[in-house]
């Protein structure tokens, strides 16, 4: 009887573990939800939520500037939020593609930023095309591990 019970317990454990496996479609939706929520956090100037989209060991690359890490990125965001002469708002991103493979995902997207304030006639619209590599973190959240962005065109 003991062997039968052990076999049943082992089979149940295998079924449970299989059910806990990662579902790429569900993971892609979780990433999409995080990206869609980010502009709301940005526009509310919620620095903690804005920085939380990025992994602690993130590397951000933008043409013409040095690579930035998490601390430099968040310090830059803090400076932008403190400005009173200009306001920068983000639209939800235009997500072109999300490719998930295990604990890594690549996302192609376009961010649209809208600036108003001193020295800007009306509203300036900037678009950045990017490729973000997400990594599932130990807490189960998807966060950007590598981000590469470049201006899509001259500001409008």
């Amino acid at each position: 009887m003991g062997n039968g019970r052990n076999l049943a317990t082992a089979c149940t454990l295998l079924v449970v573990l299989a059910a806990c496996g990662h579902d790429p479609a569900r993971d892609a939706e979780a990433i999409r939800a995080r990206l869609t929520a980010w502009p709301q956090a940005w526009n509310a100037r919620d620095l903690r939520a804005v920085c939380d989209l990025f992994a602690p060991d993130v590397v951000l690359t933008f043409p013409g500037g040095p690579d930035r890490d998490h601390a430099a990125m968040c310090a830059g965001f803090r400076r932008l939020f403190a400005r009173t002469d200009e306001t920068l708002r983000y639209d939800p991103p235009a997500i072109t593609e999300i490719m998930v493979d295990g604990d890594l995902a690549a996302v192609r997207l376009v961010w649209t930023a809208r600036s108003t304030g001193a020295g800007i006639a009306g509203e300036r619209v900037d678009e950045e095309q990017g490729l973000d590599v997400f990594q599932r973190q130990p807490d189960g959240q998807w966060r950007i591990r590598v981000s590469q962005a470049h201006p899509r065109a001259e500001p409008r």
Side-chain angles (χ1 to χ4, degrees), residues 12-136:
T12 301
L13 183 59
L14 286 175
V15 168
V16 168
L17 288 175
C20 292
H22 300 298
D23 175 2
R26 188 174 54 231
D27 291 336
E29 270 314 302
I31 291 167
R32 183 179 305 279
R34 297 219 57 193
L35 287 166
T36 301
W38 190 86
Q40 296 167 6
W42 178 276
N43 297 338
R45 298 179 185 258
D46 182 346
L47 185 64
R48 186 201 57 74
V50 167
C51 291
D52 187 60
L53 179 63
F54 301 89
D57 56 348
V58 68
V59 176
L60 298 109
T61 303
F62 193 81
D67 287 356
R68 289 175 289 152
D69 63 11
H70 197 274
M73 174 198 66
C74 290
F77 292 163
R78 185 177 296 109
R79 284 190 298 277
L80 286 171
F81 289 166
R83 291 185 67 170
T84 58
D85 62 328
E86 185 176 330
T87 300
L88 175 66
R89 298 183 59 79
Y90 277 93
D91 293 347
I95 299 170
T96 306
E97 185 174 18
I98 300 176
M99 299 168 284
V100 178
D101 187 7
D103 288 337
L104 293 174
V107 180
R108 294 177 45 231
L109 72 171
V110 176
W111 287 104
T112 301
R114 300 176 182 280
S115 302
T116 57
I120 300 172
E123 176 181 72
R124 184 181 70 223
V125 179
D126 295 286
E127 291 183 336
E128 292 178 0
Q129 190 163 353
L131 176 64
D132 292 330
V133 176
F134 279 74
Q135 185 175 34
R136 189 188 325 267

